[in-house]
Amino acid sequence: TLGDDADGSAACVIGEFGPAVLLSRDEPPWRRTFSLAHELFHLVTWQAVRPRWDRDAGPDGPWWYGKLEAQANAFASALLLPAGEGLESARAKVREGKLTGADLAALGLEFGVSLDAIAIRLATLGVISEDDKIRVRTEPVFQAIWRTASQDYWTTPETPFTERYLTLVRAAYQRGEISRGRAAEFLEVPLGELPRFGFEEQYD
């Protein structure tokens, strides 16, 4: 199940209808954002990676899979926290040569990423030391600061479906291609909840 293991919070595929990314709605928004950027790397590079993947892949993927994942994380980090803006925002929050836990949390919320992602990126950019990166990622006090700062930003989508998907289901129903029962099945709701998705009785 998506989200049941360390590598299971997102997935991507290039299929008949084009590229797609699957995200877990149970993840916090900053994790979904990072996962989306991570999967974008795989979509952009897949044509170049695929020949080697087909050649080297075993039951657990190719031996270089870990390196590929590290590159995807580095891409996502640079995309979401560009060096120029990231450094500028970090320096603006420095007081007496220091960044507090609250400053780091504010940076994470500003860029829509987790405290972990902020710590890793700032260490990569040389704003904080490797030791401080480890402290931010492991010491309970920093995690408590992040929980307090981010609690009002945790949102879960009201529906697991995109507006485009809803529009396609509504259009198929309005054209008479599917019944109300089938539409409810596609939307994973009882028949009585269809009106909240814009399905009107008169189309029957």
Side-chain angles (χ1 to χ4, degrees), residues 66-99:
K67 182 177 180 181
L68 183 69
E69 288 295 281
Q71 290 173 339
N73 285 336
F75 171 86
S77 181
L79 179 67
L80 298 172
L81 291 158
E85 291 180 40
L87 282 170
E88 185 178 328
S89 293
R91 287 181 180 133
K93 289 179 169 54
V94 171
R95 289 185 294 277
E96 298 179 358
K98 296 180 181 178
L99 279 169

Side-chain angles (χ1 to χ4, degrees), residues 168-185:
L168 289 172
V169 176
R170 277 193 295 264
Y173 171 61
Q174 291 165 6
R175 290 193 300 264
E177 295 171 357
I178 59 174
S179 65
R180 285 179 71 78
R182 190 69 166 155
E185 182 181 338

Side-chain angles (χ1 to χ4, degrees), residues 125-168:
L125 295 174
V127 177
I128 65 174
S129 69
E130 285 294 316
D131 286 344
D132 283 339
K133 177 188 79 173
I134 294 169
R135 287 182 56 227
V136 170
R137 300 187 69 200
T138 59
E139 291 185 8
V141 63
F142 289 102
Q143 304 309 312
I145 290 169
W146 174 250
R147 281 194 301 274
T148 301
S150 64
Q151 61 186 354
D152 292 334
Y153 293 83
W154 186 304
T155 59
T156 300
E158 293 182 6
T159 170
F161 308 112
T162 65
E163 188 55 40
R164 181 171 182 267
Y165 179 82
L166 295 174
T167 299
L168 289 172

